[in-house]
Structure formats: C-alpha cells, structure tokens
Amino acid sequence: DQQVKQNSPSLSVQEGRISILNCDYTNSMFDYFLWYKKYPAEGPTFLISISSIKDKNEDGRFTVFLNKSAKHLSLHIVPSQPGDSAVYFCAASISGYSTLTFGKGTMLLVSP
Amino acid sequence: DVKVTQSSRYLVKRTGEKVFLECVQDMDHENMFWYRQDPGLGLRLIYFSYDVKMKEKGDIPEGYSVSREKKERFSLILESASTNQTSMYLCASSLRTGEQYFGPGTRLTVT
C-alpha cells in the first residue's frame, strides 16, 4: 500500500514558466515532508522541507505548499530552468522516527 | 558539507557471487540507510541502522544483509547475487531524524 503517491510520472514545462509537482499521502501520522532532486547516475539531493505546523515554505525559486486537510503537498519552481530537469521525489516522515517514505518520483523536463 | 561515499560507482558481478557494497559518511551521523532505486518503483528501503551493531529491516530486506561495525561505515551484503538484484543502490545517512544525505550510488549489474 503506497503511503506517498506521486501520480504524475513525468512533467514537461518550458523554460521560464512555473513547474508544479504534486504529492499525496495517506498516513495522517506524517508530519514532516521533504523534496529531493535526482539527476541520472547521481544520488538524490535534498531540496526543501516543510513541517506540518506550516502550510508554506520558500527557498529561492522553490516553494512547497502543504494542505493537511487534503493530505496533499506541492512543489513550485518559478521560473523553471533547463538545469531543473531531473527526477523529483517527495518523502514523508513521522516525528521521532528515522525513516522516510518516498514516492515513486516525477521526471521533470524543462525545455529551452 | 556532509559527505557520503560509496565504494564503487559501477559493479558487474555473476549470479551466485557474494557482493559487498560499502558506504562511509563523515558527519558523525547516527543513522545510515541502504535503498535500491528501480525505474517506476522509486526508492525502496532495504535496511537501516540507528547505531553501531544495530540494524532494522526495511521494506525489501530479502536477499540482503548489512553490517555496521563502526559508526561511519555501513555495508550492504548480497549473500548470493541474483539477476533480480540488478539495480542502483543508494546509501544515505542522517542525524536521529530529519533529512537524509545520499551518496552517489552504485550501479550493480548481475549477469
């Protein structure tokens, strides 16, 4: 049973436009959420996180929104750049626990 | 900067061989993790360790074992490699909770 779902396997966006990557979760115990970015043949790198006490967190071009009632979070990238082309993983955890539960990832392609 | 290193970037082994994948982190993190990444399946946790000599099974531990004799080092062992273990293997480390920091990965091919 998938507890973290990324329903879009891929997304194509033009350079300069907004990229919106979505993630849904089913476990109401999750209270900390993270986004990772992964290039081919490299390990994932941490991008941004959000605690359940917030509904928005911003870091430069990246903003994560959390809607607890809908059990939904999204990552907005504005403006998108070709170097953003990668696979993005959503992950969730429960406070006090070490493990993360990952979604299957969304491949973002930003074209010039 | 946190650094997580893995012993090999690419590895080719034969069916039935014993395979060791090594991971070292330099940030004194308590937790270390082994994942495998397969197309369409995302990152799946194999094993993790929260302290020296301690280990916990993840979601897909079958066919694997682990060893953590020192805090900075976490090894993944394939006792008898099979073709369905061909995958990208990723090691990560973290403090007690929070974000995990990943190594560059080992692309293992079992023929």
Side-chain angles (χ1 to χ4, degrees):
Chain A
D1 181 33
Q2 255 190 290
Q3 297 187 69
V4 177
K5 299 178 185 179
Q6 294 178 256
N7 292 319
S8 299
S10 62
L11 176 67
S12 290
V13 170
Q14 280 196 313
E15 181 178 9
R17 307 293 289 267
I18 184 171
S19 295
I20 300 176
L21 295 100
N22 293 304
C23 179
D24 297 296
Y25 61 96
T26 57
N27 189 341
S28 56
M29 298 289 290
F30 288 143
D31 58 5
Y32 187 63
F33 304 89
L34 308 89
W35 285 94
Y36 282 82
K37 174 179 173 179
K38 186 181 182 301
Y39 292 118
E42 291 185 16
T45 53
F46 169 71
L47 205 52
I48 193 169
S49 63
I50 188 167
S51 164
S52 61
I53 62 172
K54 293 186 172 183
D55 53 19
K56 176 183 173 182
N57 189 25
E58 200 169 348
D59 184 1
R61 296 186 297 115
F62 302 90
T63 303
V64 56
F65 295 92
L66 176 62
N67 182 335
K68 289 185 288 294
S69 60
K71 294 193 180 67
H72 177 83
L73 63 154
S74 60
L75 175 69
H76 292 211
I77 306 173
V78 185
S80 301
Q81 299 173 354
D84 295 329
S85 297
V87 177
Y88 289 78
F89 290 100
C90 170
S93 72
I94 302 170
S95 292
Y97 285 81
S98 310
T99 58
L100 299 177
T101 301
F102 284 87
K104 293 185 177 181
T106 296
M107 180 178 293
L108 174 65
L109 177 63
V110 181
S111 53
Chain B
D1 270 0
V2 176
K3 191 160 186 187
V4 179
T5 56
Q6 296 184 228
S7 49
S8 307
R9 293 300 302 271
Y10 300 93
L11 209 51
V12 179
K13 295 292 181 181
R14 292 191 182 276
T15 301
E17 277 194 86
K18 190 167 187 175
V19 181
F20 292 88
L21 302 182
E22 299 271 308
C23 176
V24 178
Q25 51 97 1
D26 67 356
M27 284 303 291
D28 204 35
H29 282 170
E30 289 88 355
N31 298 328
M32 296 189 76
F33 307 83
W34 276 106
Y35 294 88
R36 61 179 283 178
Q37 184 203 358
D38 301 287
L41 296 178
L43 275 71
R44 293 182 293 167
L45 181 64
I46 303 171
Y47 268 98
F48 69 100
S49 168
Y50 54 89
D51 203 348
V52 175
K53 296 193 186 295
M54 306 305 289
K55 61 184 179 184
E56 292 283 343
K57 292 180 180 179
D59 300 316
I60 50 164
E62 297 79 18
Y64 304 95
S65 62
V66 290
S67 172
R68 194 168 181 198
E69 297 296 319
K70 293 185 178 181
K71 190 174 185 179
E72 68 271 18
R73 190 177 297 269
F74 192 35
S75 302
L76 180 70
I77 303 151
L78 287 67
E79 294 290 341
S80 177
S82 63
T83 54
N84 63 13
Q85 292 178 309
T86 291
S87 186
M88 167 72 93
Y89 290 88
L90 293 158
C91 175
S93 72
S94 76
L95 294 169
R96 291 239 172 264
T97 58
E99 53 261 33
Q100 295 177 13
Y101 297 86
F102 284 83
T106 296
R107 170 69 66 184
L108 172 67
T109 301
V110 182
T111 62

